[in-house]
Amino acid sequence: MQAHRKLLSGLALLALSGAALAQTAAPAAPATAPLPANREVGPFSFFVTSVGSGKGADLGGLAGADAHCQKLAAAVGAGNKTWRAYLSTQSWDGKPAIHARDRIGTGPWFNVKGALIARNVGHLHGDDLEESRIGNAVNWTTALTEQGQSVKRAGDTPNEHDILTGSQPDGRAFVNELTDRTCKNYTSSAEDGGVQVGHFDRTGGVHTALSWNSAHVSRGCSQPKLVSTGGAGYFYCFAAK
């Protein structure tokens, strides 16, 4: 009888030890992993349009492009902000040039997932040496649409990395230049003409192809011409306020 009691006592002790060991070996996982300490997160204020106008570089001018940004943002619940297309215009027909950098507010700007794109206009364009060294965060992983989708980059089918800007690398318009760099200020869908584009994926065979906002000029202004160049008529939208 005494031996039987010792056996039962030993088995109970073994069971308790096993339960304690299981709790030590398999701690409960946290519900959510903490964000890295160096990650800067902020409100949605930047995207690449998920669709273009469907008429090539004819966006209905700056007003039409801004309205397109506003419409797409509203569709995902961000219509309470004032959205502006990142586009420059040229000084034609007696009208002064307009610089893209002057249209988009002061920043900072974050994509739909909260990732920092740029802290301010200077950071976005690398205005001074330090900002140029740091660089903005526009690239193929961060330049998402308003729906949080990736845009087709170089190597994808089709390649849609050309983003309409009409701008020089510093975000300013092409002033005193006879070459059309804006498809008649975004009112033309002709086979001729052209619009300056950037590469959101910063990819290409020449140095300028690494520019997010001023890589090269398109082959024309029609939708087929934009497609043949490597784009789809998309452009950047920034929350100005």
Side-chain angles (χ1 to χ4, degrees), residues 1-12:
M1 179 64 104
Q2 187 174 3
H4 181 66
R5 285 177 181 172
K6 286 183 177 179
L7 178 61
L8 290 176
S9 177
L11 289 173

PDB file of all heavy atoms in Angstrom, residues 1-12:
ATOM      1  N   MET A   1       0.830  -1.198   0.000  1.00  0.00           N
ATOM      2  CA  MET A   1       0.000   0.000   0.000  1.00  0.00           C
ATOM      3  C   MET A   1       0.872   1.259   0.000  1.00  0.00           C
ATOM      4  O   MET A   1       0.610   2.209  -0.714  1.00  0.00           O
ATOM      5  CB  MET A   1      -0.911  -0.021   1.233  1.00  0.00           C
ATOM      6  CG  MET A   1      -1.819   1.213   1.328  1.00  0.00           C
ATOM      7  SD  MET A   1      -2.965   1.334  -0.003  1.00  0.00           S
ATOM      8  CE  MET A   1      -4.439   0.810   0.786  1.00  0.00           C
ATOM      9  N   GLN A   2       1.897   1.225   0.875  1.00  0.00           N
ATOM     10  CA  GLN A   2       2.811   2.373   0.946  1.00  0.00           C
ATOM     11  C   GLN A   2       3.530   2.594  -0.384  1.00  0.00           C
ATOM     12  O   GLN A   2       3.721   3.703  -0.832  1.00  0.00           O
ATOM     13  CB  GLN A   2       3.818   2.150   2.078  1.00  0.00           C
ATOM     14  CG  GLN A   2       4.691   3.389   2.322  1.00  0.00           C
ATOM     15  CD  GLN A   2       5.573   3.217   3.528  1.00  0.00           C
ATOM     16  OE1 GLN A   2       5.587   2.158   4.153  1.00  0.00           O
ATOM     17  NE2 GLN A   2       6.293   4.248   3.853  1.00  0.00           N
ATOM     18  N   ALA A   3       3.925   1.496  -1.030  1.00  0.00           N
ATOM     19  CA  ALA A   3       4.587   1.594  -2.336  1.00  0.00           C
ATOM     20  C   ALA A   3       3.654   2.169  -3.371  1.00  0.00           C
ATOM     21  O   ALA A   3       4.048   2.959  -4.240  1.00  0.00           O
ATOM     22  CB  ALA A   3       5.090   0.208  -2.749  1.00  0.00           C
ATOM     23  N   HIS A   4       2.363   1.819  -3.280  1.00  0.00           N
ATOM     24  CA  HIS A   4       1.376   2.314  -4.242  1.00  0.00           C
ATOM     25  C   HIS A   4       1.195   3.823  -4.090  1.00  0.00           C
ATOM     26  O   HIS A   4       1.116   4.560  -5.072  1.00  0.00           O
ATOM     27  CB  HIS A   4       0.048   1.576  -4.011  1.00  0.00           C
ATOM     28  CG  HIS A   4      -1.026   2.006  -4.981  1.00  0.00           C
ATOM     29  ND1 HIS A   4      -0.955   1.757  -6.335  1.00  0.00           N
ATOM     30  CD2 HIS A   4      -2.201   2.650  -4.772  1.00  0.00           C
ATOM     31  CE1 HIS A   4      -2.032   2.237  -6.929  1.00  0.00           C
ATOM     32  NE2 HIS A   4      -2.813   2.784  -5.986  1.00  0.00           N
ATOM     33  N   ARG A   5       1.172   4.301  -2.805  1.00  0.00           N
ATOM     34  CA  ARG A   5       1.026   5.731  -2.550  1.00  0.00           C
ATOM     35  C   ARG A   5       2.237   6.514  -3.074  1.00  0.00           C
ATOM     36  O   ARG A   5       2.102   7.617  -3.620  1.00  0.00           O
ATOM     37  CB  ARG A   5       0.885   5.980  -1.055  1.00  0.00           C
ATOM     38  CG  ARG A   5      -0.498   5.586  -0.521  1.00  0.00           C
ATOM     39  CD  ARG A   5      -0.543   5.780   0.970  1.00  0.00           C
ATOM     40  NE  ARG A   5      -1.828   5.400   1.501  1.00  0.00           N
ATOM     41  CZ  ARG A   5      -2.105   5.315   2.793  1.00  0.00           C
ATOM     42  NH1 ARG A   5      -1.147   5.562   3.677  1.00  0.00           N
ATOM     43  NH2 ARG A   5      -3.315   4.964   3.211  1.00  0.00           N
ATOM     44  N   LYS A   6       3.414   5.964  -2.887  1.00  0.00           N
ATOM     45  CA  LYS A   6       4.626   6.622  -3.390  1.00  0.00           C
ATOM     46  C   LYS A   6       4.600   6.746  -4.907  1.00  0.00           C
ATOM     47  O   LYS A   6       5.030   7.737  -5.489  1.00  0.00           O
ATOM     48  CB  LYS A   6       5.862   5.832  -2.953  1.00  0.00           C
ATOM     49  CG  LYS A   6       6.200   5.998  -1.480  1.00  0.00           C
ATOM     50  CD  LYS A   6       7.476   5.258  -1.145  1.00  0.00           C
ATOM     51  CE  LYS A   6       7.848   5.478   0.322  1.00  0.00           C
ATOM     52  NZ  LYS A   6       9.074   4.746   0.683  1.00  0.00           N
ATOM     53  N   LEU A   7       4.082   5.705  -5.569  1.00  0.00           N
ATOM     54  CA  LEU A   7       4.008   5.717  -7.031  1.00  0.00           C
ATOM     55  C   LEU A   7       3.065   6.811  -7.520  1.00  0.00           C
ATOM     56  O   LEU A   7       3.368   7.569  -8.436  1.00  0.00           O
ATOM     57  CB  LEU A   7       3.554   4.347  -7.531  1.00  0.00           C
ATOM     58  CG  LEU A   7       3.380   4.213  -9.051  1.00  0.00           C
ATOM     59  CD1 LEU A   7       4.714   4.478  -9.760  1.00  0.00           C
ATOM     60  CD2 LEU A   7       2.858   2.828  -9.411  1.00  0.00           C
ATOM     61  N   LEU A   8       1.875   6.902  -6.869  1.00  0.00           N
ATOM     62  CA  LEU A   8       0.911   7.929  -7.245  1.00  0.00           C
ATOM     63  C   LEU A   8       1.462   9.326  -7.000  1.00  0.00           C
ATOM     64  O   LEU A   8       1.295  10.239  -7.809  1.00  0.00           O
ATOM     65  CB  LEU A   8      -0.391   7.744  -6.454  1.00  0.00           C
ATOM     66  CG  LEU A   8      -1.240   6.523  -6.826  1.00  0.00           C
ATOM     67  CD1 LEU A   8      -2.456   6.415  -5.906  1.00  0.00           C
ATOM     68  CD2 LEU A   8      -1.691   6.618  -8.272  1.00  0.00           C
ATOM     69  N   SER A   9       2.150   9.498  -5.861  1.00  0.00           N
ATOM     70  CA  SER A   9       2.740  10.789  -5.542  1.00  0.00           C
ATOM     71  C   SER A   9       3.796  11.178  -6.565  1.00  0.00           C
ATOM     72  O   SER A   9       3.894  12.316  -7.001  1.00  0.00           O
ATOM     73  CB  SER A   9       3.358  10.724  -4.137  1.00  0.00           C
ATOM     74  OG  SER A   9       4.000  11.938  -3.838  1.00  0.00           O
ATOM     75  N   GLY A  10       4.584  10.213  -7.006  1.00  0.00           N
ATOM     76  CA  GLY A  10       5.625  10.479  -8.008  1.00  0.00           C
ATOM     77  C   GLY A  10       5.037  10.852  -9.343  1.00  0.00           C
ATOM     78  O   GLY A  10       5.525  11.754 -10.040  1.00  0.00           O
ATOM     79  N   LEU A  11       3.971  10.171  -9.731  1.00  0.00           N
ATOM     80  CA  LEU A  11       3.318  10.480 -11.013  1.00  0.00           C
ATOM     81  C   LEU A  11       2.722  11.885 -11.004  1.00  0.00           C
ATOM     82  O   LEU A  11       2.809  12.628 -11.971  1.00  0.00           O
ATOM     83  CB  LEU A  11       2.229   9.442 -11.299  1.00  0.00           C
ATOM     84  CG  LEU A  11       2.709   8.038 -11.674  1.00  0.00           C
ATOM     85  CD1 LEU A  11       1.538   7.067 -11.754  1.00  0.00           C
ATOM     86  CD2 LEU A  11       3.465   8.076 -13.002  1.00  0.00           C
ATOM     87  N   ALA A  12       2.097  12.267  -9.882  1.00  0.00           N
ATOM     88  CA  ALA A  12       1.509  13.607  -9.769  1.00  0.00           C
ATOM     89  C   ALA A  12       2.578  14.682  -9.866  1.00  0.00           C
ATOM     90  O   ALA A  12       2.433  15.709 -10.516  1.00  0.00           O
ATOM     91  CB  ALA A  12       0.753  13.718  -8.436  1.00  0.00           C
TER      92      ALA A  12
END
